[in-house]
Amino acid sequence: MVGGVLTSLGLVFSAFAHSLLHLYLGLGVLAGFGWALVFAPALGTVSRYFSRRRVLAVGLALTGNGISSLLLAPALQFLLDNFGWRGALLLLGAITLHLTPCGALLRPLALPGDPSAPPRGPLAALGLGLFTRRAFLVLALGTALVGAGYFVPYVHLAPHALDRGLGGYGAALVVAVAAVGDAGARLLCGWLSDQGWVPLPRLLVMFGALTGLGLLAVGLVPAVGSEGSWGGPLLAAAGAYGLSAGSYAVLIFGVLPGLVGIGGVVQATGLVPMLMSIGGLLGPPLSGFLRDETGDFTASFLVCGSFILSGSFIYMGLPRARPSCRPAASQATPPPERGELLLVPQAELLSPGGPHSTLDTPC
């Protein structure tokens, strides 16, 4: 519900042009606060439920974003045509109330990697101590930059399609195609990540960069000839962007247990959306400003795609994000509760068959 509503809200923003204060207080503050309280505990709990197929489980959970985006984009256009923006938002609010029983079904799970004592002080309880770890600090900086461009299609993909000459249902189709690619990629990337063929930080760099390139392609698509056209190039670019963005969404949360350990995964899952939202405070307003100055969204998508590419470049500072200088010998795998990317004593990770350490030497 959270991802689907956010993706489809661009269809109703034009109705709020006369009342930006109501838009900010209603959807920006109240609904945004509720969505934040829903997202982090739900996804963090799923990460704790699974071990060997954790990334696939996260991908399955996040697939709901793509499915709801696929269904809500045309449904919201239908509601707007028949009930107006007031009726459409009332119905969306009623549907969103179903998140309450969903949250009641989640149960906490005690794991061996949990801290022996509860955190002391508000800073520790919020997980801010994670910023003292170099790897998480690199992730935080890269994620904030990615967030400056990541949310722009949520708000401006549908208006961009309208500017390119598509009608209301054509714009909804563009959003739906991006949602299909997004949902399918989350499943496929979750399965791929759990195979262990490529380290998760390396996949994060790759799909983050592809997401930025997808936004550049969306911005460079030319206008269609008539309103009745389906806009094939824009549909293709939106689909490519959805595939990359869906893979990135799985990996940014799938990499967390390896960086912070299972005991800090819920706190880290809450901090990552916060970091993306910090960047999101810049991205959509800047996109709107550039649209007002230039007359279309071309510069908006180019700039925001550049933000995502910059953040992906910073991710290269994560452990195992770059190839090794020499092939690694047979490596032992630490317990999943410890996290495969945490720095642990070499003596704990010696292979039973020989003295081969898991430490990776970057080029």
Side-chain angles (χ1 to χ4, degrees):
M1 285 304 305
V2 175
V5 172
L6 287 175
T7 303
S8 306
L9 282 179
L11 296 171
V12 298
F13 273 177
S14 59
F16 285 94
H18 63 286
S19 184
L20 293 178
L21 179 62
H22 289 83
L23 172 65
Y24 176 77
L25 294 178
L27 294 177
V29 176
L30 296 179
F33 184 71
W35 289 332
L37 292 178
V38 167
F39 186 81
L43 198 60
T45 302
V46 170
S47 296
R48 291 172 57 82
Y49 281 174
F50 295 87
S51 175
R52 296 299 178 187
R53 293 185 290 176
R54 178 180 289 132
V55 186
L56 178 58
V58 171
L60 283 168
L62 291 175
T63 301
N65 288 7
I67 295 175
S68 62
S69 299
L70 173 64
L71 298 177
L72 281 178
L76 183 56
Q77 186 63 50
F78 174 81
L79 294 177
L80 289 170
D81 292 343
N82 290 273
F83 301 102
W85 65 268
R86 295 179 186 273
L89 290 181
L90 285 173
L91 290 171
L92 283 180
I95 296 173
T96 306
L97 284 175
H98 288 77
L99 294 172
T100 301
C102 292
L105 294 174
L106 295 174
R107 290 291 183 269
L109 181 66
L111 295 175
D114 291 340
S116 57
R120 296 181 179 179
L123 296 182
L126 293 174
L128 299 183
L130 295 175
F131 288 101
T132 60
R133 303 183 182 183
R134 177 186 174 278
F136 189 79
L137 193 60
V138 170
L139 184 79
L141 180 57
T143 301
L145 279 173
V146 170
Y150 191 84
F151 295 108
V152 170
Y154 282 59
V155 181
H156 290 151
L157 181 57
H160 177 56
L162 294 173
D163 278 359
R164 284 295 185 256
L166 276 69
Y169 285 97
L173 179 62
V174 170
V175 175
V177 167
V180 170
D182 186 288
R186 295 180 188 219
L187 288 176
L188 182 60
C189 186
W191 173 83
L192 174 65
S193 301
D194 282 331
Q195 304 309 305
W197 296 329
V198 183
L200 295 184
R202 205 170 299 169
L203 287 174
L204 181 65
V205 172
M206 181 176 67
F207 283 109
L210 289 175
T211 302
L213 293 175
L215 272 184
L216 297 181
V218 169
L220 293 174
V221 168
V224 300
S226 62
E227 187 171 325
S229 173
W230 290 106
L234 183 56
L235 289 174
Y241 160 78
L243 289 170
S244 303
S247 300
Y248 171 83
V250 172
L251 291 165
I252 190 60
F253 294 104
V255 76
L256 292 178
L259 291 176
V260 303
I262 198 64
V265 70
V266 176
Q267 295 171 321
T269 303
L271 290 174
V272 165
M274 183 196 74
L275 293 166
M276 294 194 73
S277 297
I278 291 175
L281 293 174
L282 171 66
L286 177 61
S287 175
F289 170 79
L290 292 174
R291 197 274 180 199
D292 291 340
E293 292 295 318
T294 62
D296 58 36
F297 285 102
T298 299
S300 302
F301 281 92
L302 293 180
V303 171
C304 294
S306 300
F307 277 127
I308 296 181
L309 289 173
S310 300
S312 302
F313 177 78
I314 291 177
Y315 286 150
M316 294 182 67
L318 292 173
R320 301 177 65 190
R322 291 170 292 171
S324 301
C325 293
R326 58 181 178 273
S330 59
Q331 297 180 349
T333 302
E337 293 79 11
R338 292 293 302 273
E340 68 273 11
L341 302 179
L342 290 174
L343 297 178
V344 296
Q346 295 187 23
E348 297 183 17
L349 302 180
L350 292 180
S351 171
H356 299 300
S357 169
T358 61
L359 296 181
D360 196 23
T361 304
C363 294

